Amino acid sequence: MNFGKNSVRATHNFLSEAEILKIKEYVPPAICNVEMLFLSPDERGKGFGKMIVRYGIENYSAEKVTVNEQNPKAKGFYEHLGFKTYKTSETDEQGNPYPIAWMKLEKTRRVENLNLGKNNFA
C-alpha cells in the first residue's frame, strides 16, 4: 500500500509531522472495518472514496468505520453514505487527544441501497 502523506496532511491538519509519519505504522488492510481511507487531494470528489467503501462492503462485509471528529468532511462523507455514530472517545486508539467517532452502516442502508453507482473494481 502506498501511504500518501499529502492525503493525510490535507485532511488532518491537527497532526504534527511526526504523528503523520507514525500513521504509516497503523495502516492495516481492511478486513471488516474501514480504519483509514486516504485519497490524494487531487482525487477527492471524483467518487473514488465511494467506490472503495462500496468495495469493502461488498467484498469484506465492512459495516463500520472510525473517523477523527476533527475531520468534519470525512465524518460528513460517511454520514452521507448512511453511517451513524454509535460510540465516541475523547482520545484516539493510541491515547492521543484526538476525538474519534465509531460509525456503523444503518441496516436500512446496506450496499444495495447506497446508490454509489456501478462497482468499477472488476
Side-chain angles (χ1 to χ4, degrees), residues 2-121:
N2 182 11
F3 174 75
K5 291 182 285 185
N6 289 338
S7 62
V8 178
R9 282 189 194 104
T11 57
H12 291 69
N13 59 0
F14 52 89
L15 296 177
S16 70
E17 183 66 19
E19 290 167 318
I20 289 172
L21 292 173
K22 192 158 181 74
I23 286 176
K24 187 173 184 177
E25 299 173 25
Y26 299 101
V27 179
I31 296 174
C32 52
N33 295 325
V34 178
E35 293 289 334
M36 299 179 191
L37 173 60
F38 296 109
L39 296 175
S40 169
D42 295 337
E43 301 304 324
R44 292 182 64 208
K46 297 181 181 179
F48 296 125
K50 289 179 186 179
M51 287 190 305
I52 292 167
V53 170
R54 182 175 187 148
Y55 184 83
I57 293 167
E58 289 177 340
N59 295 283
Y60 297 97
S61 301
E63 296 182 349
K64 295 180 181 177
V65 301
T66 55
V67 63
N68 289 93
E69 292 272 12
Q70 294 169 298
N71 188 352
K73 288 183 181 181
K75 190 170 182 198
F77 166 77
Y78 292 117
E79 288 172 342
H80 177 74
L81 296 180
F83 288 86
K84 298 287 182 194
T85 300
Y86 69 91
K87 181 173 91 169
T88 61
S89 173
E90 291 300 314
T91 60
D92 66 13
E93 291 90 342
Q94 290 76 44
N96 298 311
Y98 304 120
I100 298 291
W102 284 267
M103 304 176 82
K104 186 173 185 174
L105 187 63
E106 290 184 296
K107 291 183 188 269
T108 59
R109 295 287 301 259
R110 296 294 182 226
V111 70
E112 60 273 3
N113 300 324
L114 284 180
N115 193 24
L116 298 179
K118 184 179 179 185
N119 184 343
N120 293 321
F121 292 98

